């Protein structure tokens, strides 16, 4: 039985074009998350809580217990199967099919950005999100990007900060900067599982905002302009910006503190 394999489907043809385009495509999710290796279909990730609050050393050391947390992640396999008529390859002479396979690679390369956008928007009703910690660890978060919750001895933390625009749902540059500064201040007051505020001070040395395309003009101006409405912009360069076209909503942005060893 003869094997028919046109040049455009050989490794250096369409498959090579697919792989090259997939690697070169923008993958904004990598700016926001910590990549952890996986070696099996289902992984159990175990991590310790924050360092207990230090005490003054007097007569003897005081042993303190760190909280233990874990979460399970089951890997999911994604596929996209297509059918192309054989005569298309036989008649193709201009390399357009190879270009199309490059576009397939681009689409698959950005697919994780779509999954990331879904997790951001769905919050505590996300079906794709999984509880980050087990039930016996005294954690009330329902998903990673839930709207509110507690961890260990922390006070309640509300991730859903509201700041209304004067007109419509898109803020002006000045309104965005006010919102960003207030949101950062709110996050710095969050407490860790030991009940200690300010634990995110290192993470707050690098801020990223994830915005829908509708917000790009005012946010880009807010983060890059030296002056706004004839007033010096003291918040210039305060954060980096990612425009995520997969965000369905046009009335919200997302702030991440990503300057620590763990993200977010």
């Amino acid at each position: 039985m003869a094997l028919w394999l046109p040049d455009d489907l050989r490794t250096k043809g369409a498959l090579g074009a697919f792989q090259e385009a997939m690697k070169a495509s923008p993958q904004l999710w990598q700016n926001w998350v910590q990549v952890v290796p996986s070696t099996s279909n289902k992984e159990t990730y175990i991590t310790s809580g924050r360092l207990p609050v230090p005490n003054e050393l007097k007569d003897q050391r005081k042993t303190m217990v760190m909280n233990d947390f874990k979460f399970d992640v089951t890997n999911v396999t994604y596929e996209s199967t297509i059918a192309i008529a054989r005569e298309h390859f036989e008649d193709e002479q201009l390399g357009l099919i190879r270009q199309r396979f490059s576009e397939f690679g681009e689409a698959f390369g950005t697919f994780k950005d779509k999954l990331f956008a879904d997790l951001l928007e769905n919050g505590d009703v996300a079906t794709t999100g999984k509880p980050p910690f087990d039930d016996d660890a005294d954690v009330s978060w329902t998903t990673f990007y839930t709207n509110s919750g507690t961890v260990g001895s922390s006070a309640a933390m509300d991730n859903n900060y509201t700041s209304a625009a004067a007109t419509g749902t898109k803020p002006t540059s000045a309104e965005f900067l006010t919102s960003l500064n207030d949101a950062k201040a709110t996050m710095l007051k969050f407490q860790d599982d030991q009940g200690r505020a300010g634990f995110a001070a290192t993470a707050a040395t690098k801020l990223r905002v994830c915005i829908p395309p509708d917000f790009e003009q005012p946010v880009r101006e807010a983060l890059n302009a030296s002056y706004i409405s004839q007033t010096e912009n003291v918040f210039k360069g305060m954060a980096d910006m990612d425009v995520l076209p997969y965000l369905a909503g046009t009335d919200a942005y997302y702030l991440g503190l990503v300057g620590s060893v763990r993200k977010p």
Side-chain angles (χ1 to χ4, degrees):
M1 181 178 178
L3 174 64
W4 176 79
L5 188 63
D7 289 339
D8 268 346
L9 283 182
R10 298 185 187 278
T11 301
K12 294 184 178 180
L15 180 58
F18 178 92
Q19 297 285 0
E20 291 173 3
M22 184 172 63
K23 292 179 181 178
S25 63
Q27 299 185 41
L28 302 180
W29 64 272
Q30 295 185 7
N31 297 328
W32 289 76
V33 305
Q34 178 183 2
V35 178
V36 181
S38 175
T39 58
S40 64
N41 180 54
K42 183 177 181 180
E43 299 286 356
T44 296
Y45 296 102
I46 301 175
T47 183
S48 61
R50 292 280 178 168
L51 180 72
V53 179
N55 293 301
E56 179 183 356
L57 178 59
K58 296 182 179 180
D59 298 334
Q60 59 183 3
R61 295 183 179 275
K62 180 181 179 181
T63 302
M64 296 178 288
V65 178
M66 298 177 65
N67 293 322
D68 293 323
F69 302 117
K70 69 177 181 179
F71 61 96
D72 297 328
V73 175
T74 300
N75 290 320
V76 178
T77 300
Y78 293 93
E79 65 88 26
S80 181
T81 302
I82 58 175
I84 303 177
R86 174 173 175 169
E87 57 265 26
H88 290 175
F89 290 99
E90 295 173 336
D91 297 338
E92 161 63 15
Q93 299 180 23
L94 302 176
L96 299 181
I97 290 181
R98 190 179 190 278
Q99 293 178 357
R100 183 63 73 187
F101 273 89
S102 293
E103 292 179 340
F104 292 162
E106 292 173 351
F108 214 87
T110 57
F111 180 63
K112 288 183 180 178
D113 279 351
K114 174 62 170 65
L115 298 179
F116 175 58
D118 290 343
L119 288 173
L120 285 176
E121 291 197 301
N122 290 337
D124 60 351
V125 298
T127 57
T128 49
K130 300 297 181 183
F133 306 123
D134 55 359
D135 295 334
D136 59 3
D138 192 23
V139 176
S140 68
W141 301 97
T142 52
T143 59
F144 199 85
Y145 288 103
T146 190
N147 286 336
S148 62
T150 59
V151 178
S153 300
S154 77
M157 293 176 282
D158 189 354
N159 282 326
N160 192 2
Y161 177 80
T162 301
S163 179
T167 303
T169 58
K170 184 171 69 174
T172 65
S173 299
E175 288 172 339
F176 171 78
L177 286 175
T178 298
S179 170
L180 179 62
N181 190 53
D182 290 346
K184 177 186 176 183
T186 298
M187 295 177 73
L188 282 173
K189 295 175 184 178
F190 284 169
Q191 297 177 352
D192 62 13
D193 59 287
Q194 299 290 332
R196 171 178 44 204
F199 73 95
T202 301
T205 59
K206 185 175 182 180
L207 276 62
R208 294 198 80 91
V209 292
C210 189
I211 63 172
D214 309 71
F215 279 30
E216 183 170 4
Q217 185 274 327
V219 174
R220 188 173 295 279
E221 180 182 38
L223 298 178
N224 294 283
S226 298
Y227 287 85
I228 297 177
S229 300
Q230 299 182 340
T231 301
E232 183 179 4
N233 181 14
V234 297
F235 297 111
K236 177 182 178 181
M238 180 178 179
D240 295 317
M241 177 184 71
D242 290 319
V243 182
L244 196 59
Y246 309 102
L247 292 172
T250 59
D251 59 353
Y253 73 91
Y254 301 88
L255 170 63
L257 310 184
V258 295
S260 186
V261 293
R262 292 195 300 174
K263 295 188 296 185

